[in-house]
Amino acid sequence: MMDKFELQKLRDLPIEGVAERLGLQVARHKCLCPFHADTHPSLSFCVRRNTCRCFVCGAGGGTIDLVMRYLNKDFREACRW
C-alpha cells in the first residue's frame, strides 16, 4: 500500500504529460476525447489545477482518474502503472 506522500506525487504528475504517455495527442491544452466518438478536441486540460474535463461527455478528473478510465484499471492498478 502507498503512503500519502507517494500518492500525492502521482497526483502531482503533470496531467498533460500523463495523457501523452497514454498516447493522446495534446495540443494547446486540448485533445480528442478517447471516451466518446470525438471529431473536434473536446478534452481540455487545466494545467493550474492539474485536471482534465470533456465538455461533451463529462469525463474528467485528475491524473489517476485519467489512467483508471483510459486503461480500464482500478485505483491500485492505475497507481502502479
Side-chain angles (χ1 to χ4, degrees):
M1 187 67 193
M2 285 189 193
D3 64 23
K4 285 182 185 178
F5 180 72
E6 287 175 301
L7 202 52
Q8 193 58 50
K9 277 180 24 182
L10 291 177
R11 288 192 170 117
D12 290 343
L13 288 170
I15 195 159
E16 289 184 349
V18 171
E20 287 173 343
R21 191 156 172 230
L22 288 168
L24 301 175
Q25 304 282 316
V26 180
R28 292 189 207 95
H29 309 296
K30 291 185 172 194
C31 73
L32 293 175
C33 180
F35 307 118
H36 71 275
D38 202 2
T39 54
H40 299 302
S42 59
L43 186 64
S44 294
F45 296 91
C46 178
V47 178
R48 189 175 48 78
R49 286 196 318 241
N50 207 34
T51 60
C52 65
R53 176 155 187 252
C54 176
F55 291 97
V56 175
C57 72
T63 53
I64 297 170
D65 302 308
L66 181 62
V67 173
M68 284 173 60
R69 183 140 188 207
Y70 188 78
L71 298 177
N72 197 27
K73 294 184 176 292
D74 66 24
F75 184 79
R76 265 199 168 124
E77 290 175 308
C79 289
R80 260 187 246 122
W81 179 88

